[in-house]
């Protein structure tokens, strides 16, 4: 959102709340000003610097001051105060289609509704139809609109939110009232998508922390603001919850809000059996409510008779049992990763040239990197003709000499054709060091056909890796139908690797399938699938998938020496 949009958005919000409060005159003034700001062709920051805000038609002295405040602090106090002056839940309710400010105020005042859950309940209990001017039809529409409101809230890709989290953490750490700050919830568990962010702050001064948090620049909306809990919406519509916790119970809160819910439920059951009570405030003895532990997350797990476990495992899929038996896997870490084994260049449809990719990989400390551009038939991705591939191999060999810090592999991401054959013949494949075989076309075929195609590709003696094995794009395209167990069995026999593609929308294999692959005796390869220099930084996303898939160093080929990786399949 540009600064102009941000200013206009806040002016509109002020106008909206003023209208709710019945101040029509000022409401109209703010709406007019918002319209004018939207229509500006110049950056409003520049206009403010020249001191010419009041020359914008419709902007008088008081609105100019509000605009200056938005430019300087990111959020105007006028809006904050107005929000606080509204009954609770009104702002949330008007997000539901068909519920305007007036209706929201009446629902709040006459029925005491303060959130959408209560609204839904009231409609179901047929209480809304009793209000003057309402009826069964309106009630029905409200229920429908609530459904739509809930479906509207899409989830965010882990890859999108990690940089935002970095921003929030460093912003919050700047405030001296903040002792510790972490993001809990699904983001701490590194799930492939997150619904919202759960920021936890340890502090003795919640007021200062809350004020600092609520004036964070990318905030466009504050849904709630209280002494220990606030909820805001960022400009990309990501919702962020803040909880301020006293240091002495920070560990308990961190444990609780990291989840998953299923993990917590199981943990509480175990606690109950052992005579404990566990909640977001601490672990207590049931008999006398005396506190056992609250400050330190690890000590809570230990008191419950198990080892602390990495958040990525906390999905109640056997991690608690493993922790009790002291059989938790030693998970792979980003530091263990030595190189990248799926990288594109502008020889095919990627943005950056080979040498720039190499320079970046060297900077990242990679010991090796496989260049794997698309193969000849894949016209949409400007796949390489045999001739062009030969040129590229030559350049790779030359750069490999030049850059002694890194070993470069000449490879391909070779299309698996609809009959299961590879898109280059053996004479070509023979000259390559690293062959990733992937499906990019014919995804409409039935399960048996696609499974056979991949098994055929696995049997090709030049194949090292099956790239993005299911073809899914998160929230955009379902996986093609494929019998993964059959694929894993063939791959284990042939000693062919399965990829965990690290591209944010792919993350393919996904966590649970990577775990199944491991159990079937298959080793996994991380590939950034980078199509530009910056995308070489996708590897941590694949590490997250690997950890959620219970993989250790031995399971992930990128932690191995190149000799071991290349010698694995004879
Ligand atoms: P998300 O935001 O949908 O990606 O998923 P989470 O896991 O971040 O869930 P969220 O944001 O609703 O709540 C954060 C954590 O708080 C959740 O992982 C576990 C904890 N939590 C929330 N509600 C409950 C509950 O009703 N029972 C228990 N035991 N834990 C809860
Ligand atoms: Ca969450
Ligand atoms: Ca080299
Ligand atoms: Zn591909």
């Amino acid at each position: 959102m540009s600064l102009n949009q941000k200013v206009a958005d806040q002016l509109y919000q002020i106008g909206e709340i003023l209208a709710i409060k019945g101040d029509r005159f000022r409401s109209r003034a703010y709406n007019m000003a918002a319209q004018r700001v939207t229509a500006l062709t110049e950056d409003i920051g520049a206009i403010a610097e020249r001191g010419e805000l009041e020359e914008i038609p419709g902007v008088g002295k008081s609105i100019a001051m509000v605009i200056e405040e938005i430019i300087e602090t990111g959020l105007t106090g006028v809006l904050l105060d107005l929000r606080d002056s509204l009954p609770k839940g009104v702002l949330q309710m008007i997000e539901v289609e068909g519920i305007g400010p007036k209706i929201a105020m009446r629902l709040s005042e006459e029925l005491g509704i303060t959130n959408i859950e209560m609204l839904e309940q009231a409609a179901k209990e047929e209480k809304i139809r009793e209000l003057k001017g309402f009826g069964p039809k309106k009630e029905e529409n409200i229920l429908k609109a609530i459904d739509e409101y809930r479906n509207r809230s899409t989830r965010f890709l882990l890859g999108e939110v990690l940089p935002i989290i970095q921003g929030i953490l460093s912003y919050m750490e700047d405030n001296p009232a903040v002792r510790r700050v972490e993001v809990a919830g699904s983001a701490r568990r590194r799930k492939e998508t997150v619904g919202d962010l759960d920021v936890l702050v340890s502090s003795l001064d919640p007021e200062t922390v809350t004020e600092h948090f609520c004036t964070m620049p990318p905030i466009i909306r504050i849904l709630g603001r209280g002494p220990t809990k606030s909820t805001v919406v960022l400009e990309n519509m990501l919702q962020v919850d803040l909880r301020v916790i006293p240091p002495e119970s920070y560990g308990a809160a961190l444990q609780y809000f990291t989840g998953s819910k299923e993990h917590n439920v199981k943990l509480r059951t175990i606690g109950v059996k052992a005579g404990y009570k566990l909640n977001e405030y601490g672990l207590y003895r049931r008999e006398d409510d005396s506190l056992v532990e609250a400050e330190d997350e690890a000590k809570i797990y230990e008191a419950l008779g198990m080892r602390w476990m990495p958040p990525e495992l906390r999905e109640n899929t056997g991690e608690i049992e493993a922790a009790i038996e002291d059989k938790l896997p030693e998970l792979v870490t980003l530091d263990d990763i030595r190189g990248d084994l799926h990288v594109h260049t502008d020889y095919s449809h990627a943005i950056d040239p080979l040498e720039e990719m190499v320079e970046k990989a060297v900077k990242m400390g990679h010991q090796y990197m496989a260049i794997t551009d698309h193969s000849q038939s894949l016209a949409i991705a400007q796949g390489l003709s045999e001739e062009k591939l030969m040129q590229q191999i030559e350049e790779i060999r030359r750069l490999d000499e030049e850059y002694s810090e890194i070993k470069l592999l000449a490879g391909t991401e070779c299309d698996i054709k609809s009959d299961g054959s590879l898109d280059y013949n053996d004479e070509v494949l023979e000259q390559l060091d690293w062959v990733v075989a992937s499906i990019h076309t014919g995804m409409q075929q039935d399960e048996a056909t696609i499974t056979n195609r991949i098994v055929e590709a696995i049997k090709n003696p030049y194949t090292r890796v099956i790239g993005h094995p299911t073809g899914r794009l998160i929230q955009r395209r379902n996986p093609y139908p494929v019998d993964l167990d059959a694929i894993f069995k063939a791959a284990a026999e042939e000693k062919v690797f399965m990829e965990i593609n690290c591209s944010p929308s792919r993350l393919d294999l996904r966590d649970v399938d990577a775990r199944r692959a491991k159990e079937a005796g298959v080793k996994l390869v991380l590939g950034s699938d980078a199509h530009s220099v910056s995308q070489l930084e996708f590897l941590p996303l694949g590490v997250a998938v690997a950890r959620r898939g219970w993989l250790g160093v031995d399971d992930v080929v990128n932690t191995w020496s190149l000799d071991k990786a290349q010698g694995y399949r004879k």
Side-chain angles (χ1 to χ4, degrees), residues 400 403-404 406-407:
D400 184 42
Y403 290 83
S404 60
I406 190 166
K407 180 66 198 169

Side-chain angles (χ1 to χ4, degrees), residues 23 45 51 61 79 91 115 217-218 253 257 267 269 281 288 383 393 404 422 448 515 562:
D23 190 343
K61 194 164 182 161
L79 183 54
L91 284 171
N115 58 44
F257 290 111
L267 205 59
T269 312
Y281 306 105
D288 57 1
I393 295 176
S404 60
L422 296 190
R515 190 171 166 188
L562 207 45

Side-chain angles (χ1 to χ4, degrees), residues 135-147:
K137 185 77 197 152
K138 272 211 175 134
E139 217 167 46
E140 198 182 306
N141 287 340
I142 286 177
L143 281 173
K144 249 190 242 152
I146 291 175
D147 252 8

Side-chain angles (χ1 to χ4, degrees), residues 282-339:
L283 179 70
Y284 302 87
R285 267 181 214 90
R286 200 157 270 280
E287 47 185 21
D288 57 1
D289 266 352
S290 64
L291 180 68
V292 178
E293 180 60 43
E295 192 175 350
D296 186 300
E297 186 185 56
K299 285 185 186 154
I300 292 173
Y301 281 103
E302 282 154 22
L304 287 166
M306 64 192 82
R307 275 180 54 194
W308 177 90
M309 68 207 78
E312 291 93 330
L313 296 180
R314 302 184 195 172
E315 300 291 346
N316 190 29
T317 55
E319 75 280 6
I320 291 177
E321 293 81 351
I324 291 170
E325 293 169 26
D326 201 9
K327 283 187 181 148
L328 286 168
E330 192 70 43
L331 299 182
V332 64
T333 69
L334 186 58
D335 281 344
D336 297 321
I337 302 299
R338 301 201 205 179

Side-chain angles (χ1 to χ4, degrees), residues 342 344 374 378 413 438-440 467-468 501 506 529 531:
H342 184 162
H344 294 277
H374 290 288
L378 202 61
E413 181 183 9
S438 315
I439 284 187
H440 294 105
H468 44 73
N501 189 291
R506 288 195 184 271
D529 200 358
H531 283 65

Side-chain angles (χ1 to χ4, degrees), residues 529-542:
D529 200 358
H531 283 65
S532 67
V533 164
S534 61
Q535 294 182 353
L536 286 166
E537 313 253 16
F538 286 161
L539 282 177
L541 298 171

